[in-house]
Each structure stands twice: as C-alpha cells, then as structure tokens.
Amino acid sequence: MFKIKIFFLGLFKKMWPKVTAFALLGVASAFLAVLLRNRIPDDIAYPIAPETVGTILNILASSMLAVTTFSLTVMVSAYSSATTTVSPRATQLVVQDHTAQNVLSTFLGTFLFSLVGIIALNANVYQDKGRVVLFITTLLVVVIMVIALIRWIDRLTKIGRVGETTRLVEEAATKSLKKRAEAPCLGCNRLDRSEVAWPIKHDVVAPGFGYVQFIDTEDLGKVADANDCDIHVLAVPGRYVTPKTALARTSKKVDAEVEAKIRKAFTIAGERAFEQDPRFGVCVLAEIAVRALPPTTNDPGTAIDVLGRLVSALATFAANREEVVKCKRVWVPPLDIDDLFNDAFGTIAHDSANMLSVQIRLQKCLHYLHELDIDEFKENAVKYSRLALMYTDRSNLLDSQKQELRDLALRG
C-alpha cells in the first residue's frame, strides 16, 4: 500500500495525468450529446440550428488554443524565474502548483471538447435532440472555462514571484516538520547514535546512487517479524547513498531475498523530496535567503522574511510528542536538531555578516527559539547566536553596530 501511495503521490504532482483526464472528459462530453439524444422528451426538444452551436464551439476552439499556448509560455517563464531568482530546488514546487495544472487541464479539455463537437456537428452526427444536449453541455463548459480563466488571472499575479515561491517552500517544510513531530522515528523505536552490541550484524547496502526519498517502515516491520530479527535504519530520508552505503543493519545474517525486501522499502531517486525529508525544506528556505544576500542582488528583505518563516517552521517541529511505536522490531534515528539548526542558520549567519538588519533579525529569531524551553533548541540557539557574533566581529560593520549585536546575542 505504501508503494501504491508513493506512486499516486508522484503521479499527482505531474501535469500530464490531469491534462489527460480533462482532455478525455472533454471528448466524452462531446459524445454525451449522442448518447443522451434519445432521452430528450419530444415536448421539450426544439430545433437548434447547427450554426448556433457551431459558432460557439469555433470561438471556444480558437480561443482555448491561444490561451493554452500563452499559459504554457507563462508557466515556463515562472519555472525559469524560480530557478534563477529563488532556488532551483524550489522549482519542483512551482511545477506542482495545483491551480496552474488544473487551469491548463481545463483549457486543453475545453479545446478538445470544442474540436470533437465541431467534427461531429459537421459530420451531421447530431440530430435536433442531440444539438439540444450539445448546446446545454457547451454552456456548462463555458461556465467552467470562465471560472478557470478567473482563477488563472488571479494566479498569474503570483506564480513565479519570490514571495509566492518562498511561501510554497515554507508550507512544504512546515508540513514535513509537523509530520515528523507527530512521528519522530516514523512509527518505530528510537535509534540512538550509540552502537548496539549485537553478536552478529549484517549490513544491507544501497542498490545504486541517489537520495533516499521515502522509507516504508511498515514493510520493514513485516520483514523483521517474518525473519525474527531487528532492523536498524541507517540511511534516513535525505541522505545521499552509494552502492557501498548501508541502508539498514539487521541483527543476524539474512539471505539475498530478505535483503531485496529491505531494499524495496527504500525509495531512492536522483533528487530529494519534501514529504519525509524535513531538512530539505529548511535547506531550500535557507538557500533562498542566501541567494538574496550578495551585493549583486542586495535584497536583505528577502533574507529577513525567510528567517521569520524558518522560525515559524521550526516552532512547529518543537511541539513534538511521544509517538506510538507501530513497528516493534525496527529502529530509526530521530531528526538531529544540530543538523536542523545548521541547515537553517549556519550559512545565513556567515553570508550576512556585513548586513546589520539581517543579523539583528537572526539574533531575535534565535531568542524566540531559545524561549521555547526545549533543551536541544536552547543549546543550538546559543551556539548559533555566538557563531553569528563571531562572523560579525570580523566583518566591516561599525564598532557601535557590533556592540548592538553583542547586546542582543544569547549568553547561555
């Protein structure tokens, strides 16, 4: 079930399934008039001239082809803008924009509906009753198309912009962090960094190169129960693996068939995914801030905005609670808070050393995370507050500005 869920999740992100579905729906709508023509009572049927429906269909066909072409051009420009001005890693979220996908699918479906309707109309497939059904269906399609067009006009004001793309990344990061907060070890036992003294241990290595995107812990639990062994997950989502990297470790020697089942529980691909990898969303947010800091860009406002979004996302993760262990014989390491803070603030602290406004916001953000009263958050907030102060001490800021930052910095 997990593999099926991942398959449909990947399918849902792509545009072509929706475009295909709407296109087939458009074709089916055109043929609906033929199927329903005999169900129209004679007393409500009235002749509609072929020119009446044909004119509307011609207008729809010509206009939808132009609008679809224009929409594709806009979307390609939005992808390019997100890549160059925000982050190439954020582009996948822009590509997955559901509003843009649905609107484009509606336009293409309307175009094919009109095209099939024109062909059938000129082929004299419809009779009087059929033209009545076609006319009613055409009016419904026009209403749907107008609604889609209004939504598309509203979307055009946002798609590809820095603020909108940053919001999409924040939502993806927050959603992933919230899920991990609810299940810190993905429904398994907590695996500490200390080595377990097993009499025998067996490593299951990765089948190739790539990033771990998903782990089916329920499947691993079934494998562990069936083979009476414990499984330690060593490669968590987001880790880059090679054919020599151990994905998991078993408490006893297992055969090649069991190894294949364990490998099957790991989804490995060429790029990271947001769903089970909270650090990826945090990394992309930090990258957006860093790309706004160079003198060629000189956009500290974006960096300040991202810092606020990072704090909001991390605060969501701070509310984690003890999870119910579903897989008794599987052990997964929790998300490392040190790594999470480094992803969020390490590079920003370094690259913004000469920007007083960004450094002030950074110190205030770390103050807030320190006040959440979580030991690991407190330790890392102090650590990165001091680290940022070390960077600014070596910067070109004025002595009075450096003193202002010293007064803001956490002292443990």
PDB file of all heavy atoms in Angstrom, residues 118-142:
ATOM      1  N   ILE A 118     -17.182  20.136 -33.062  1.00  0.00           N
ATOM      2  CA  ILE A 118     -17.219  20.701 -34.421  1.00  0.00           C
ATOM      3  C   ILE A 118     -17.180  19.589 -35.469  1.00  0.00           C
ATOM      4  O   ILE A 118     -17.943  19.598 -36.450  1.00  0.00           O
ATOM      5  CB  ILE A 118     -16.046  21.680 -34.620  1.00  0.00           C
ATOM      6  CG1 ILE A 118     -16.239  22.931 -33.756  1.00  0.00           C
ATOM      7  CG2 ILE A 118     -15.918  22.075 -36.084  1.00  0.00           C
ATOM      8  CD1 ILE A 118     -15.036  23.839 -33.715  1.00  0.00           C
ATOM      9  N   ILE A 119     -16.295  18.609 -35.244  1.00  0.00           N
ATOM     10  CA  ILE A 119     -16.189  17.497 -36.198  1.00  0.00           C
ATOM     11  C   ILE A 119     -17.500  16.724 -36.272  1.00  0.00           C
ATOM     12  O   ILE A 119     -18.007  16.413 -37.365  1.00  0.00           O
ATOM     13  CB  ILE A 119     -15.022  16.569 -35.803  1.00  0.00           C
ATOM     14  CG1 ILE A 119     -13.689  17.299 -35.941  1.00  0.00           C
ATOM     15  CG2 ILE A 119     -15.030  15.301 -36.648  1.00  0.00           C
ATOM     16  CD1 ILE A 119     -12.502  16.526 -35.391  1.00  0.00           C
ATOM     17  N   ALA A 120     -18.067  16.401 -35.090  1.00  0.00           N
ATOM     18  CA  ALA A 120     -19.316  15.639 -35.062  1.00  0.00           C
ATOM     19  C   ALA A 120     -20.466  16.449 -35.653  1.00  0.00           C
ATOM     20  O   ALA A 120     -21.348  15.902 -36.335  1.00  0.00           O
ATOM     21  CB  ALA A 120     -19.645  15.235 -33.626  1.00  0.00           C
ATOM     22  N   LEU A 121     -20.459  17.754 -35.432  1.00  0.00           N
ATOM     23  CA  LEU A 121     -21.523  18.611 -35.943  1.00  0.00           C
ATOM     24  C   LEU A 121     -21.462  18.686 -37.464  1.00  0.00           C
ATOM     25  O   LEU A 121     -22.487  18.590 -38.155  1.00  0.00           O
ATOM     26  CB  LEU A 121     -21.392  20.009 -35.339  1.00  0.00           C
ATOM     27  CG  LEU A 121     -22.639  20.902 -35.286  1.00  0.00           C
ATOM     28  CD1 LEU A 121     -23.725  20.264 -34.447  1.00  0.00           C
ATOM     29  CD2 LEU A 121     -22.279  22.266 -34.718  1.00  0.00           C
ATOM     30  N   ASN A 122     -20.265  18.846 -37.999  1.00  0.00           N
ATOM     31  CA  ASN A 122     -20.106  18.913 -39.458  1.00  0.00           C
ATOM     32  C   ASN A 122     -20.338  17.562 -40.124  1.00  0.00           C
ATOM     33  O   ASN A 122     -20.683  17.498 -41.309  1.00  0.00           O
ATOM     34  CB  ASN A 122     -18.707  19.415 -39.816  1.00  0.00           C
ATOM     35  CG  ASN A 122     -18.522  20.886 -39.461  1.00  0.00           C
ATOM     36  OD1 ASN A 122     -19.483  21.645 -39.434  1.00  0.00           O
ATOM     37  ND2 ASN A 122     -17.284  21.278 -39.178  1.00  0.00           N
ATOM     38  N   ALA A 123     -20.136  16.483 -39.356  1.00  0.00           N
ATOM     39  CA  ALA A 123     -20.401  15.145 -39.893  1.00  0.00           C
ATOM     40  C   ALA A 123     -21.871  14.771 -39.787  1.00  0.00           C
ATOM     41  O   ALA A 123     -22.251  13.650 -40.118  1.00  0.00           O
ATOM     42  CB  ALA A 123     -19.545  14.115 -39.174  1.00  0.00           C
ATOM     43  N   ASN A 124     -22.678  15.706 -39.267  1.00  0.00           N
ATOM     44  CA  ASN A 124     -24.128  15.503 -39.137  1.00  0.00           C
ATOM     45  C   ASN A 124     -24.464  14.330 -38.218  1.00  0.00           C
ATOM     46  O   ASN A 124     -25.432  13.599 -38.453  1.00  0.00           O
ATOM     47  CB  ASN A 124     -24.752  15.276 -40.527  1.00  0.00           C
ATOM     48  CG  ASN A 124     -26.144  15.863 -40.596  1.00  0.00           C
ATOM     49  OD1 ASN A 124     -26.554  16.620 -39.719  1.00  0.00           O
ATOM     50  ND2 ASN A 124     -26.871  15.531 -41.646  1.00  0.00           N
ATOM     51  N   VAL A 125     -23.636  14.145 -37.173  1.00  0.00           N
ATOM     52  CA  VAL A 125     -23.885  13.074 -36.210  1.00  0.00           C
ATOM     53  C   VAL A 125     -25.070  13.409 -35.315  1.00  0.00           C
ATOM     54  O   VAL A 125     -25.865  12.541 -34.946  1.00  0.00           O
ATOM     55  CB  VAL A 125     -22.622  12.826 -35.356  1.00  0.00           C
ATOM     56  CG1 VAL A 125     -22.898  11.832 -34.228  1.00  0.00           C
ATOM     57  CG2 VAL A 125     -21.483  12.334 -36.233  1.00  0.00           C
ATOM     58  N   TYR A 126     -25.207  14.684 -34.949  1.00  0.00           N
ATOM     59  CA  TYR A 126     -26.280  15.104 -34.050  1.00  0.00           C
ATOM     60  C   TYR A 126     -27.562  15.359 -34.842  1.00  0.00           C
ATOM     61  O   TYR A 126     -27.541  15.879 -35.958  1.00  0.00           O
ATOM     62  CB  TYR A 126     -25.894  16.398 -33.319  1.00  0.00           C
ATOM     63  CG  TYR A 126     -24.615  16.288 -32.519  1.00  0.00           C
ATOM     64  CD1 TYR A 126     -23.506  17.056 -32.860  1.00  0.00           C
ATOM     65  CD2 TYR A 126     -24.523  15.439 -31.429  1.00  0.00           C
ATOM     66  CE1 TYR A 126     -22.332  16.979 -32.135  1.00  0.00           C
ATOM     67  CE2 TYR A 126     -23.356  15.349 -30.701  1.00  0.00           C
ATOM     68  CZ  TYR A 126     -22.266  16.118 -31.060  1.00  0.00           C
ATOM     69  OH  TYR A 126     -21.109  16.029 -30.336  1.00  0.00           O
ATOM     70  N   GLN A 127     -28.685  15.011 -34.226  1.00  0.00           N
ATOM     71  CA  GLN A 127     -29.991  15.395 -34.733  1.00  0.00           C
ATOM     72  C   GLN A 127     -30.492  16.565 -33.890  1.00  0.00           C
ATOM     73  O   GLN A 127     -29.742  17.141 -33.108  1.00  0.00           O
ATOM     74  CB  GLN A 127     -30.948  14.203 -34.682  1.00  0.00           C
ATOM     75  CG  GLN A 127     -30.463  13.028 -35.538  1.00  0.00           C
ATOM     76  CD  GLN A 127     -31.313  11.792 -35.370  1.00  0.00           C
ATOM     77  OE1 GLN A 127     -32.261  11.782 -34.577  1.00  0.00           O
ATOM     78  NE2 GLN A 127     -30.983  10.741 -36.111  1.00  0.00           N
ATOM     79  N   ASP A 128     -31.762  16.906 -34.033  1.00  0.00           N
ATOM     80  CA  ASP A 128     -32.286  18.049 -33.276  1.00  0.00           C
ATOM     81  C   ASP A 128     -32.100  17.871 -31.783  1.00  0.00           C
ATOM     82  O   ASP A 128     -31.651  18.784 -31.077  1.00  0.00           O
ATOM     83  CB  ASP A 128     -33.774  18.249 -33.606  1.00  0.00           C
ATOM     84  CG  ASP A 128     -33.978  18.779 -35.017  1.00  0.00           C
ATOM     85  OD1 ASP A 128     -32.978  19.228 -35.613  1.00  0.00           O
ATOM     86  OD2 ASP A 128     -35.113  18.747 -35.500  1.00  0.00           O
ATOM     87  N   LYS A 129     -32.464  16.683 -31.280  1.00  0.00           N
ATOM     88  CA  LYS A 129     -32.340  16.429 -29.845  1.00  0.00           C
ATOM     89  C   LYS A 129     -30.864  16.409 -29.421  1.00  0.00           C
ATOM     90  O   LYS A 129     -30.517  16.871 -28.328  1.00  0.00           O
ATOM     91  CB  LYS A 129     -33.003  15.106 -29.485  1.00  0.00           C
ATOM     92  CG  LYS A 129     -34.518  15.105 -29.636  1.00  0.00           C
ATOM     93  CD  LYS A 129     -35.079  13.757 -29.238  1.00  0.00           C
ATOM     94  CE  LYS A 129     -36.608  13.735 -29.376  1.00  0.00           C
ATOM     95  NZ  LYS A 129     -37.196  12.450 -28.986  1.00  0.00           N
ATOM     96  N   GLY A 130     -30.022  15.873 -30.281  1.00  0.00           N
ATOM     97  CA  GLY A 130     -28.600  15.842 -29.968  1.00  0.00           C
ATOM     98  C   GLY A 130     -28.009  17.226 -29.875  1.00  0.00           C
ATOM     99  O   GLY A 130     -27.161  17.503 -29.024  1.00  0.00           O
ATOM    100  N   ARG A 131     -28.458  18.131 -30.749  1.00  0.00           N
ATOM    101  CA  ARG A 131     -27.956  19.506 -30.704  1.00  0.00           C
ATOM    102  C   ARG A 131     -28.413  20.231 -29.443  1.00  0.00           C
ATOM    103  O   ARG A 131     -27.712  21.109 -28.938  1.00  0.00           O
ATOM    104  CB  ARG A 131     -28.386  20.267 -31.949  1.00  0.00           C
ATOM    105  CG  ARG A 131     -27.596  19.878 -33.188  1.00  0.00           C
ATOM    106  CD  ARG A 131     -27.747  20.904 -34.290  1.00  0.00           C
ATOM    107  NE  ARG A 131     -29.095  20.953 -34.797  1.00  0.00           N
ATOM    108  CZ  ARG A 131     -29.547  20.201 -35.809  1.00  0.00           C
ATOM    109  NH1 ARG A 131     -28.738  19.323 -36.387  1.00  0.00           N
ATOM    110  NH2 ARG A 131     -30.795  20.318 -36.241  1.00  0.00           N
ATOM    111  N   VAL A 132     -29.602  19.845 -28.918  1.00  0.00           N
ATOM    112  CA  VAL A 132     -30.065  20.426 -27.650  1.00  0.00           C
ATOM    113  C   VAL A 132     -29.116  20.047 -26.523  1.00  0.00           C
ATOM    114  O   VAL A 132     -28.681  20.886 -25.718  1.00  0.00           O
ATOM    115  CB  VAL A 132     -31.503  19.954 -27.329  1.00  0.00           C
ATOM    116  CG1 VAL A 132     -31.898  20.389 -25.922  1.00  0.00           C
ATOM    117  CG2 VAL A 132     -32.484  20.502 -28.335  1.00  0.00           C
ATOM    118  N   VAL A 133     -28.790  18.748 -26.456  1.00  0.00           N
ATOM    119  CA  VAL A 133     -27.861  18.282 -25.415  1.00  0.00           C
ATOM    120  C   VAL A 133     -26.492  18.927 -25.597  1.00  0.00           C
ATOM    121  O   VAL A 133     -25.848  19.353 -24.631  1.00  0.00           O
ATOM    122  CB  VAL A 133     -27.748  16.742 -25.445  1.00  0.00           C
ATOM    123  CG1 VAL A 133     -26.765  16.260 -24.381  1.00  0.00           C
ATOM    124  CG2 VAL A 133     -29.105  16.092 -25.231  1.00  0.00           C
ATOM    125  N   LEU A 134     -26.011  18.997 -26.841  1.00  0.00           N
ATOM    126  CA  LEU A 134     -24.706  19.615 -27.114  1.00  0.00           C
ATOM    127  C   LEU A 134     -24.706  21.087 -26.714  1.00  0.00           C
ATOM    128  O   LEU A 134     -23.716  21.582 -26.153  1.00  0.00           O
ATOM    129  CB  LEU A 134     -24.361  19.470 -28.593  1.00  0.00           C
ATOM    130  CG  LEU A 134     -23.006  20.045 -29.025  1.00  0.00           C
ATOM    131  CD1 LEU A 134     -21.866  19.328 -28.317  1.00  0.00           C
ATOM    132  CD2 LEU A 134     -22.839  19.973 -30.539  1.00  0.00           C
ATOM    133  N   PHE A 135     -25.793  21.770 -26.977  1.00  0.00           N
ATOM    134  CA  PHE A 135     -25.893  23.188 -26.630  1.00  0.00           C
ATOM    135  C   PHE A 135     -25.831  23.379 -25.110  1.00  0.00           C
ATOM    136  O   PHE A 135     -25.100  24.246 -24.604  1.00  0.00           O
ATOM    137  CB  PHE A 135     -27.203  23.770 -27.179  1.00  0.00           C
ATOM    138  CG  PHE A 135     -27.392  25.221 -26.892  1.00  0.00           C
ATOM    139  CD1 PHE A 135     -26.621  26.187 -27.523  1.00  0.00           C
ATOM    140  CD2 PHE A 135     -28.343  25.649 -25.950  1.00  0.00           C
ATOM    141  CE1 PHE A 135     -26.785  27.531 -27.245  1.00  0.00           C
ATOM    142  CE2 PHE A 135     -28.506  26.987 -25.666  1.00  0.00           C
ATOM    143  CZ  PHE A 135     -27.726  27.932 -26.324  1.00  0.00           C
ATOM    144  N   ILE A 136     -26.588  22.545 -24.368  1.00  0.00           N
ATOM    145  CA  ILE A 136     -26.573  22.637 -22.896  1.00  0.00           C
ATOM    146  C   ILE A 136     -25.177  22.303 -22.351  1.00  0.00           C
ATOM    147  O   ILE A 136     -24.654  22.983 -21.461  1.00  0.00           O
ATOM    148  CB  ILE A 136     -27.635  21.694 -22.293  1.00  0.00           C
ATOM    149  CG1 ILE A 136     -29.037  22.155 -22.701  1.00  0.00           C
ATOM    150  CG2 ILE A 136     -27.514  21.647 -20.773  1.00  0.00           C
ATOM    151  CD1 ILE A 136     -30.142  21.189 -22.303  1.00  0.00           C
ATOM    152  N   THR A 137     -24.574  21.246 -22.908  1.00  0.00           N
ATOM    153  CA  THR A 137     -23.223  20.860 -22.462  1.00  0.00           C
ATOM    154  C   THR A 137     -22.216  21.962 -22.759  1.00  0.00           C
ATOM    155  O   THR A 137     -21.324  22.252 -21.951  1.00  0.00           O
ATOM    156  CB  THR A 137     -22.786  19.558 -23.164  1.00  0.00           C
ATOM    157  OG1 THR A 137     -23.785  18.560 -22.981  1.00  0.00           O
ATOM    158  CG2 THR A 137     -21.471  19.052 -22.585  1.00  0.00           C
ATOM    159  N   THR A 138     -22.353  22.597 -23.913  1.00  0.00           N
ATOM    160  CA  THR A 138     -21.449  23.692 -24.286  1.00  0.00           C
ATOM    161  C   THR A 138     -21.563  24.854 -23.308  1.00  0.00           C
ATOM    162  O   THR A 138     -20.552  25.447 -22.904  1.00  0.00           O
ATOM    163  CB  THR A 138     -21.759  24.177 -25.710  1.00  0.00           C
ATOM    164  OG1 THR A 138     -21.631  23.085 -26.622  1.00  0.00           O
ATOM    165  CG2 THR A 138     -20.795  25.280 -26.128  1.00  0.00           C
ATOM    166  N   LEU A 139     -22.795  25.173 -22.890  1.00  0.00           N
ATOM    167  CA  LEU A 139     -22.978  26.250 -21.919  1.00  0.00           C
ATOM    168  C   LEU A 139     -22.309  25.914 -20.586  1.00  0.00           C
ATOM    169  O   LEU A 139     -21.690  26.781 -19.951  1.00  0.00           O
ATOM    170  CB  LEU A 139     -24.474  26.514 -21.707  1.00  0.00           C
ATOM    171  CG  LEU A 139     -25.240  27.088 -22.912  1.00  0.00           C
ATOM    172  CD1 LEU A 139     -26.706  27.306 -22.544  1.00  0.00           C
ATOM    173  CD2 LEU A 139     -24.608  28.398 -23.379  1.00  0.00           C
ATOM    174  N   LEU A 140     -22.414  24.647 -20.155  1.00  0.00           N
ATOM    175  CA  LEU A 140     -21.756  24.230 -18.909  1.00  0.00           C
ATOM    176  C   LEU A 140     -20.235  24.330 -19.044  1.00  0.00           C
ATOM    177  O   LEU A 140     -19.552  24.783 -18.116  1.00  0.00           O
ATOM    178  CB  LEU A 140     -22.155  22.790 -18.561  1.00  0.00           C
ATOM    179  CG  LEU A 140     -23.605  22.568 -18.139  1.00  0.00           C
ATOM    180  CD1 LEU A 140     -23.880  21.072 -17.950  1.00  0.00           C
ATOM    181  CD2 LEU A 140     -23.909  23.322 -16.846  1.00  0.00           C
ATOM    182  N   VAL A 141     -19.728  23.933 -20.206  1.00  0.00           N
ATOM    183  CA  VAL A 141     -18.282  24.017 -20.444  1.00  0.00           C
ATOM    184  C   VAL A 141     -17.828  25.478 -20.427  1.00  0.00           C
ATOM    185  O   VAL A 141     -16.755  25.805 -19.894  1.00  0.00           O
ATOM    186  CB  VAL A 141     -17.915  23.343 -21.777  1.00  0.00           C
ATOM    187  CG1 VAL A 141     -16.465  23.645 -22.159  1.00  0.00           C
ATOM    188  CG2 VAL A 141     -18.120  21.841 -21.688  1.00  0.00           C
ATOM    189  N   VAL A 142     -18.633  26.369 -20.989  1.00  0.00           N
ATOM    190  CA  VAL A 142     -18.299  27.798 -20.990  1.00  0.00           C
ATOM    191  C   VAL A 142     -18.215  28.325 -19.561  1.00  0.00           C
ATOM    192  O   VAL A 142     -17.293  29.082 -19.215  1.00  0.00           O
ATOM    193  CB  VAL A 142     -19.334  28.600 -21.808  1.00  0.00           C
ATOM    194  CG1 VAL A 142     -19.146  30.098 -21.589  1.00  0.00           C
ATOM    195  CG2 VAL A 142     -19.211  28.275 -23.284  1.00  0.00           C
TER     196      VAL A 142
END
